[in-house]
Amino acid sequence: MHRIVLLRHGESAWNRENRFTGWTDVDLSEKGLEEAGKAGEVLRKEGFVFDLAYTSVLKRAIRTLWIALDRMDLMCDPRGELLAPETSATTARSRA
């Protein structure tokens, strides 16, 4: 079964100030960093594993993805393809 998970970015500095951000590239606040980490922890505990991730080009969305994936012990390459820890280890060994 295929599933799609939508995750909104964590709180930004402007969200905290109740300002509309639109396409302005505002970074995450401290609370937003914590929210992104908690999202990753929940996804990990629920057993989610992803093959691919898409995000907006704005830093608050990219950083939310990176933090959530880190808490899940996952990582994505610049193309958005996810690398599981065992995949990364296999790639490193094959280059040696």
Side-chain angles (χ1 to χ4, degrees):
M1 174 174 66
H2 297 283
R3 294 190 278 181
I4 295 175
V5 175
L6 302 176
L7 176 64
R8 186 178 189 274
H9 62 78
E11 179 191 75
S12 73
W14 281 19
N15 292 146
R16 187 182 57 237
E17 298 169 5
N18 200 29
R19 294 172 64 185
F20 177 73
T21 55
W23 282 99
T24 305
D25 203 7
V26 180
D27 209 348
L28 296 174
S29 65
E30 286 297 318
K31 180 180 178 185
L33 296 169
E34 292 173 15
E35 291 171 338
K38 287 178 185 175
E41 291 170 10
V42 168
L43 291 168
R44 184 189 72 238
K45 287 178 187 173
E46 293 297 321
F48 282 88
V49 178
F50 301 108
D51 300 315
L52 194 61
Y54 294 97
T55 185
S56 127
V57 297
L58 299 176
K59 68 177 104 181
R60 61 185 176 264
I62 295 168
R63 199 172 316 280
T64 296
L65 173 65
W66 287 350
I67 293 167
L69 289 177
D70 184 59
R71 294 289 175 92
M72 299 175 71
D73 199 25
L74 294 171
M75 176 178 250
C76 69
D77 69 13
R79 297 166 298 181
E81 293 184 31
L82 294 170
L83 306 170
E86 60 275 4
T87 304
S88 299
T90 303
T91 302
R93 281 196 301 272
S94 67
R95 291 184 182 170

